[in-house]
Every structure is written in structure tokens, then in C-alpha cells.
Amino acid sequence: MDLELDSTSEKIVSATFKLLQKDGSEKATTKKIAAEAGVNEVTLFRKFENKKNLIEITKRYYLQILINTLEEIFVFDEDQTIEEYLKISFYGILNLSDEDFSILKVAMEEVRGVSEKKNLISEVTDVILNKLEEFFRFQIDNGIVREDINPKSLAIMCFSVLFQSVILWKIYDKDLGFETIPYADDIMNVLFEGINP
């Protein structure tokens, strides 16, 4: 879904996202959003009808930016080895922009308030899992990975490492006390060599 916004709508959506990051959706009032965007509050309502629509459109707009980026990160070349693909994917996630991590943070904070509809973070999860599963299915079909292994299981395992070790520490600014490149190499070593002595 590509949202086409005129310049005024884009300013409003940008201001909304900035306030969602800073204050959350409850404190991001239409008055604050209009002031941040440099528009009249009436313009905001004329363009988006109400705050709920505006926030939904803002999240969708930024989610699409992130999903496009993730799809690029997880595209694979059929000639790549598994190790090359996973390292490229790992570093791609590691090198997401601050804006991308802000989108993830807004999506993760949304989880608390959403119950009945599919939330944004699950859409991000689905994109990554589907790309990883597609990659591993290709590897199995070509005899590179044992055929008795479920590609979805491999996808979930790799996703867990990527998501927990990169996304969460970047979003919550945790000092891990170690360098990320040797960490990635250790993960690859365990994946390919196992844990047995």
C-alpha cells in the first residue's frame, strides 16, 4: 500500500510521527500536531477528519517506508551462500537508520494498545519471516540445507537472533558490552558449527 500525500499532508504526517515518538499517541494532541506542522488545526481535520485517522495514516506511511527497506535487506541472490546472506541481513538490520528504528519503536509501543486488529510490529515480523523462509526453502530445494529441516523453523531461529540482538538493543539503547561484528561472527559460527565440542 503506497500512500500518496500532498505537501501539506506530508508536513502533518511528519509532525505527527515526531510527536508520536516524543509523547506517544495519547499526548500527541491535534493542537500540538498542527503547531508542529505549522498549519491550522482546521487544516488538519480537513485533511484527515480526526486524530484517529491521522495517527493510523501516519503509522501506515512510515511502516511502508520500513517494510520497503526490510524487503531490500532480505532480498537474496541465488548464488549467495547461507553465511553470506545471513551476514548481509544481520548487518543490514544493524545499519538501519535512526528513523527506521524510530518506526519500530512506535510500532512496538503500539502493541500494548491493540488487541483486535493486526498491529504494525506483526507486519514487520511477517515481512522478515517470509523473506527468511523463502531463502531457506530455496536452499532446501537446491540441496544446500537438509530437506528434513522446516524452513519456517530456520526462519524463526534467525529472526529471533536478528530481532533480539539488534533491534531491541538499538531501540532501548542498551550497552551490550561487546562489539557487534564479533558477535555476528559468533552467531554464524554456532549456526554452522553447532555447540558440541
Side-chain angles (χ1 to χ4, degrees), residues 35-184:
E36 181 70 33
V39 299
N40 187 305
E41 199 173 4
V42 172
T43 302
L44 189 146
F45 287 114
R46 194 177 78 244
K47 295 277 188 185
F48 298 96
E49 295 180 20
N50 57 50
K51 179 182 167 183
K52 183 179 176 186
N53 284 343
L54 172 57
I55 289 176
E56 183 63 29
I57 288 169
T58 298
K59 288 179 178 180
R60 290 264 144 234
Y61 180 80
Y62 280 93
L63 177 67
Q64 191 57 56
I65 291 169
L66 177 61
I67 284 175
N68 292 344
T69 300
L70 291 173
E71 286 178 342
E72 286 178 26
I73 289 171
F74 286 93
V75 166
F76 66 91
D77 179 339
E78 294 179 356
D79 296 328
Q80 280 178 315
T81 66
I82 296 170
E83 190 169 0
E84 288 169 339
Y85 175 72
L86 292 177
K87 277 188 176 183
I88 289 167
S89 300
F90 186 90
Y91 296 136
I93 293 289
L94 189 62
N95 293 315
L96 285 172
S97 70
D98 289 342
E99 181 178 88
D100 291 327
F101 280 108
S102 293
I103 296 167
L104 278 169
K105 191 170 185 177
V106 167
M108 289 176 73
E109 288 171 355
E110 175 198 48
V111 171
R112 288 178 281 202
V114 176
S115 56
E116 74 286 346
K117 67 176 187 165
K118 188 174 183 180
N119 58 48
L120 300 180
I121 200 67
S122 72
E123 290 185 45
V124 170
T125 301
D126 289 348
V127 166
I128 297 172
L129 283 173
N130 290 340
K131 290 289 188 180
L132 286 168
E133 185 177 354
E134 177 186 344
F135 172 75
F136 285 119
R137 188 172 312 284
F138 175 82
Q139 300 302 319
I140 290 167
D141 291 346
N142 286 286
I144 297 165
V145 172
R146 292 187 343 236
E147 62 182 49
D148 64 327
I149 296 177
N150 184 335
K152 190 172 210 75
S153 297
L154 285 171
I156 290 169
M157 181 186 72
C158 291
F159 170 80
S160 298
V161 170
L162 283 168
F163 199 78
Q164 292 294 328
S165 62
V166 178
I167 294 173
L168 292 180
W169 93 54
K170 281 236 176 182
I171 287 176
Y172 295 111
D173 297 323
K174 299 288 184 198
D175 178 12
L176 299 181
F178 54 80
E179 294 296 317
T180 54
I181 294 188
Y183 174 76

